[in-house]
Amino acid sequence: MRVLITGSSGEIGTNLGLTLMQRGHEVVGIDRRKNTWTDKLPTVQFDLLQGKKGRLPVEGKFDACVHLAAYAKVFELVVHPDRALENVEVVFNTLDWCRQTKTPIIFGSSREVYGDIHRHITDEGQADFVVAESPYSASKIAGEAFVYSYFQCYDLPHLVFRFSNVYGRYDSDAERMERVIPLFIQRILKGEPIVVFGKDKTLDFTYVDDCVDGIIRGIEAVVSGRITNETINLAYGQGSTLMDLVNLISLALRKEVNATYEPARAGEVTRYVADISKARQLLGYSPQTPLTAGVPKAIAWQREFGVLKG
Ligand SMILES: NC(=O)c1ccc[n+]([C@@H]2O[C@H](COP(=O)([O-])OP(=O)(O)OC[C@H]3O[C@@H](n4cnc5c(N)ncnc54)[C@H](O)[C@@H]3O)[C@@H](O)[C@H]2O)c1
C-alpha cells in the first residue's frame, strides 16, 4: 500500500509510519516540523494551513490518507482557542485533497467528542455533539462532521478513530508538549515534585503499539473495501486513575513520589473508559498491553532512547 500520513512527525504518526514501512508499505509523511525522532520516514515539510483548496505538495496515487495533524493538547487549546480553529482548517484542507484525488481518509479523532460524561462505558453511538467540553473537543467534533459530510455529498470512503491517551514511544519531547506519562516518569525519576490535576480522574491509557495495530487494521479494511464509513473507539478498554498511574511509575522506578493534588483543569475530561467491542468485531482488534505492562515498556523506551537521564 502507499499511505499518506499527515502529522507524521508526531507521536502516533512516527510510530505508524515506521511500522507501515517495516511491513513493506510505502509511506509519505506531511508535517510542518522535521521529524526529530527518525530520518527514515520520508517527510514533506509543509504547513497544512497553506493547503487551501486541497492543494497538498504530494504527487501520485495513494491508497489511503491517515490524517493526524493537529494541535493535540486539550489544555493548550483552552489557553489558545484560535488553534482549535486551525485544527478544523487543517482537516478541511486535507479532506478536500482526499475528495479531489479520491483517496479514502482515516481521521484521527478523540474520546474528547464524548465530553465529560461520567459513564463507565462509552460506545460510538453516545457522542452528544451539542455538548463540547473544550475548544479541542469542538475541533474534533467539527472535523468528524466534515468527514461525514464528505461521505454524504461525495461518497468519500472514511474511517474515524477515536483515540484515548496514547503513550509509550516518541512521546517525550517535553519542550514541545507535556504529556502526563513521560512527564511523570521523568520528574519522579529525578525526585522532582509533580502536580496531579484530578487524582481520581479515570482515563483509558492506550499503549502506542495497540493504537498503531488498530489503525493499520483500519487502513487495510478500507483499502480492501471490506469496511468503510465507520466510527470506532481505539483504546485499551480499561480505566485507570491518575493515582494508579503515579503508583505504577513509582513502583517501576523504585522512587518515592512528591506529589501535590489540584482539581482537574478547565476543559479536561475526568472519566472515560472506552467500549472497544466495535473495534474487536469489525477489525479483530485485540489490545495487548495494559497500563501495568505499558508503563515499564515506556520507561524502558525512554532509557534506551536516552531521553531518561538519572
Ligand atoms: N496521543 C493521544 O493521546 C491522542 C488522543 C486522542 C486523539 N489524538 C489525536 O491523534 C492525532 C495525533 O496525535 P499525536 O499524539 O501524534 O500528536 P502530536 O502532537 O505528537 O503530532 C501531531 C503532529 O501534527 C503536526 N501538525 C500540527 N498542525 C500542523 C499543520 N498545520 N501542518 C502540518 N503539520 C501539523 C505537528 O507538527 C505534530 O508533529 C492528533 O490529531 C490528536 O489530536 C491523539
Side-chain angles (χ1 to χ4, degrees):
M1 294 186 296
R2 185 164 189 252
V3 180
L4 180 65
I5 301 176
T6 70
S8 57
S9 300
E11 180 202 2
I12 299 176
T14 302
N15 282 286
L16 174 65
L18 291 177
T19 307
L20 281 168
M21 287 166 67
Q22 276 156 17
R23 296 190 190 177
H25 302 295
E26 186 185 343
V27 173
V28 176
I30 294 186
D31 202 297
R32 67 174 158 211
R33 299 179 307 121
K34 191 175 168 303
N35 195 308
T36 54
W37 303 111
T38 177
D39 52 15
K40 290 194 183 130
L41 221 163
T43 305
V44 180
Q45 225 172 312
F46 179 71
D47 187 334
L48 286 160
L49 283 173
Q50 307 306 319
K52 307 271 182 232
K53 303 204 167 130
R55 291 200 189 109
L56 303 193
V58 287
E59 309 252 306
K61 184 79 192 136
F62 287 87
D63 295 298
C65 168
V66 183
H67 179 62
L68 300 172
Y71 288 106
K73 285 295 286 180
V74 174
F75 193 67
E76 179 189 340
L77 271 57
V78 173
V79 180
H80 302 285
D82 51 313
R83 295 182 187 171
L85 193 57
E86 288 190 19
N87 276 355
V88 181
E89 272 187 66
V90 160
V91 178
F92 180 77
N93 292 346
T94 307
L95 191 59
D96 216 43
W97 175 86
C98 289
R99 175 177 71 86
Q100 290 169 33
T101 57
K102 299 190 173 26
T103 310
I105 187 164
I106 288 135
F107 175 51
S109 187
S110 166
R111 59 113 200 272
E112 297 292 325
V113 300
Y114 295 114
D116 201 10
I117 50 167
H118 295 264
R119 284 185 208 126
H120 228 351
I121 299 295
T122 303
D123 72 42
E124 291 82 349
Q126 289 179 317
D128 176 357
F129 280 13
V130 179
V131 180
E133 212 65 43
S134 67
Y136 173 84
S137 155
S139 78
K140 290 299 183 191
I141 290 171
E144 286 197 13
F146 270 114
V147 171
Y148 302 143
S149 75
Y150 269 49
F151 169 59
Q152 294 297 337
C153 295
Y154 312 113
D155 215 14
L156 183 70
H158 67 273
L159 279 188
V160 171
F161 279 124
R162 294 178 179 155
F163 305 136
S164 174
N165 287 87
V166 184
Y167 71 97
R169 199 186 303 111
Y170 310 129
D171 59 350
S172 57
D173 48 351
E175 56 294 333
R176 185 174 72 88
M177 62 151 42
E178 284 184 345
R179 295 177 203 256
V180 67
I181 291 189
L183 180 74
F184 282 2
I185 291 173
Q186 293 181 20
R187 294 191 77 94
I188 291 171
L189 183 74
K190 290 185 206 149
E192 291 173 357
I194 58 167
V195 183
V196 180
F197 292 101
K199 74 193 231 195
D200 297 323
K201 213 187 261 171
T202 300
L203 300 173
D204 197 334
F205 293 96
T206 316
Y207 188 65
V208 68
D209 286 350
D210 286 329
C211 176
V212 163
D213 174 69
I215 300 172
I216 294 178
R217 286 170 186 271
I219 300 171
E220 287 169 347
V222 167
V223 171
S224 68
R226 191 173 63 81
I227 291 159
T228 55
N229 318 331
E230 296 283 355
T231 297
I232 300 172
N233 295 331
L234 214 54
Y236 186 72
Q238 264 177 24
S240 306
T241 65
L242 287 188
M243 279 314 295
D244 294 334
L245 173 66
V246 168
N247 290 335
L248 281 171
I249 296 173
S250 163
L251 205 67
L253 292 172
R254 297 203 184 90
K255 290 272 188 183
E256 294 289 311
V257 179
N258 173 6
T260 50
Y261 301 97
E262 302 278 347
R265 293 175 297 183
E268 289 181 338
V269 165
T270 59
R271 175 164 203 94
Y272 175 76
V273 184
D275 178 345
I276 57 167
S277 48
K278 192 168 175 186
R280 287 188 191 281
Q281 277 161 18
L282 291 183
L283 303 175
Y285 173 69
S286 174
Q288 300 294 308
T289 310
L291 192 62
T292 44
V295 162
K297 281 187 180 206
I299 292 171
W301 174 77
Q302 289 203 32
R303 285 196 201 283
E304 194 188 321
F305 213 79
V307 186
L308 206 56
K309 297 184 176 58

